[in-house]
Amino acid sequence: MGNAWWNLTLRFLLELAALLGLGIAGWSLSDGWGRWLLALGLPLVAAVLWGIFAVLNDPSRSGRAPVPVPGVVRLALELVILFGGAAGFYGAGYTTTGIIVALLIAISYAFSMDRLGWLLRQ
């Protein structure tokens, strides 16, 4: 079910939401230039990490891994970024949005047991 069209669509939207949540968190954490730096920097760093650290031959990606990592490391990175975005919404005062995003992340992973098993075996 991890590769079902609806779960892949949900996953993509959750990735975008995580970047937005990190940006909103960065905006709310500072003032002045620091506000802009964090609002743009946090999502950028998350996106770079997401793109660089991958498991070789991951069927959910191109199979390439600029920096190959074990599956458990990739899973931890995914969880930190996705739930970090949800926490960003929550911490910036968008409590309901943060909770809904966190629940949708859990639902997506619950329907991705095949991928989770694959990641943990790598």
Side-chain angles (χ1 to χ4, degrees):
M1 295 284 300
N3 286 330
W5 70 268
W6 64 268
N7 200 11
L8 292 174
T9 302
L10 175 60
R11 173 64 178 244
F12 175 69
L13 294 174
L14 289 171
E15 291 171 12
L16 293 177
L19 296 176
L20 180 61
L22 290 169
I24 288 172
W27 184 263
S28 69
L29 289 173
S30 187
D31 291 322
W33 282 103
R35 170 174 274 185
W36 287 98
L37 183 64
L38 287 174
L40 297 173
L42 288 176
L44 180 62
V45 168
V48 167
L49 293 173
W50 193 278
I52 291 177
F53 296 101
V55 178
L56 279 176
N57 302 318
D58 186 344
S60 70
R61 297 173 50 101
S62 65
R64 295 177 300 154
V67 177
V69 295
V72 69
V73 172
R74 174 61 189 198
L75 179 58
L77 176 66
E78 291 178 8
L79 293 174
V80 166
I81 291 173
L82 290 172
F83 283 107
F89 282 117
Y90 191 90
Y94 299 95
T95 308
T96 304
T97 303
I99 291 169
I100 290 171
V101 169
L103 288 173
L104 289 173
I105 294 166
I107 289 168
S108 178
Y109 273 103
F111 284 98
S112 300
M113 290 298 169
D114 51 344
R115 182 168 182 277
L116 289 173
W118 182 86
L119 279 174
L120 295 174
R121 287 189 302 274
Q122 302 305 306

